[in-house]
Amino acid sequence: MGDLLLVRHGETEWSRSGQHTSWTDLPLTEHGEEQAKSLAPLLTGRTYALALASPLGRAIRTAELAGLTGVVPDPDLHEWDYGGYEGITTVDIHRARPGWDLWTDGVPPGPEGHPGESPQVIGARADRVLARVDEALAEDAGDVVLVAHAHFLRVLTARRLGLAPAEGRLFQLATGTVSRLSTEHGRPVIAEWNGRA
């Protein structure tokens, strides 16, 4: 059975400043583009049974620069909808809500079409993606690669390991990295985390 590779997109202005970024489709910074290009050696030489990416430009561009081909955009890989906290840093949120935690407290509704999401909603999206991953891996035709965003991929990792969605809080994920989930004795495991060339 193949591995599941998780690629977090390269740096954007808001990932650098710590601003919550879900639907705001910022481009990669120059450094983010270099990060994405540097991932190619970690991703080439593998056969992919399935390659999916978030439909947002920063993920699609990362996949292109990393040399991935045949990548299919999948809306389930979209970043967590931060609702009213879009574009706001955790430091600024703490000024109004000391002790606030995304993983337990959630987010207030944002503008129309962006009600915000809970860990459970993200977990349901991650479970749908993982069902497609498992189907592709069962064909034993290679690995699966997902190019997406930090919070979503952290929730997906928690779900892959059999944990509750909010346990994604345990997995810090840097920009422009490749992480690998594999199996050991038939159980999912983290084989590599935050890999860089």
Side-chain angles (χ1 to χ4, degrees):
M1 180 183 278
D3 290 334
L4 173 56
L5 301 173
L6 309 178
V7 178
R8 182 180 176 196
H9 64 76
E11 177 192 81
T12 67
E13 290 292 343
W14 283 10
S15 67
R16 182 170 53 201
S17 64
Q19 292 168 263
H20 289 86
T21 319
S22 54
W23 71 83
T24 304
D25 203 2
L26 298 174
L28 299 179
T29 62
E30 185 176 327
H31 177 64
E33 294 216 349
E34 292 305 314
Q35 286 180 313
K37 290 175 189 173
S38 75
L39 298 178
L42 300 175
L43 298 169
T44 56
R46 293 178 174 267
T47 301
Y48 294 105
L50 182 64
L52 301 174
S54 161
L56 294 172
R58 57 192 182 268
I60 297 293
R61 183 70 175 144
T62 296
E64 291 170 356
L65 292 172
L68 293 170
T69 58
V71 177
V72 177
D74 186 329
D76 277 337
L77 288 171
H78 198 285
E79 181 59 299
W80 192 315
D81 183 336
Y82 299 121
Y85 287 159
E86 179 78 0
I88 301 175
T89 66
T90 299
V91 170
D92 287 337
I93 295 167
H94 282 164
R95 287 189 181 107
R97 290 180 68 184
W100 171 82
D101 185 299
L102 172 67
W103 302 97
T104 56
D105 299 327
V107 296
E112 187 175 338
H114 298 287
E117 290 179 300
S118 68
Q120 294 74 24
V121 171
I122 305 299
R125 283 204 278 125
D127 288 347
R128 288 194 299 269
V129 172
L130 288 170
R132 292 193 288 282
V133 166
D134 287 338
E135 185 178 312
L137 290 175
E139 295 173 5
D140 208 18
D143 299 320
V144 171
V145 61
L146 306 177
V147 184
H149 314 275
H151 281 122
F152 178 80
L153 290 174
R154 292 168 68 178
V155 171
L156 182 132
T157 298
R159 297 302 300 138
R160 185 64 163 177
L161 300 176
L163 303 172
E167 295 307 305
R169 66 189 171 82
L170 301 172
F171 311 108
Q172 186 276 337
L173 193 57
T175 57
T177 56
V178 176
S179 299
R180 184 167 56 92
L181 304 182
S182 192
T183 57
E184 182 180 58
H185 307 301
R187 290 187 299 271
V189 295
I190 297 173
E192 183 179 2
W193 197 254
N194 278 327
R196 288 194 166 111

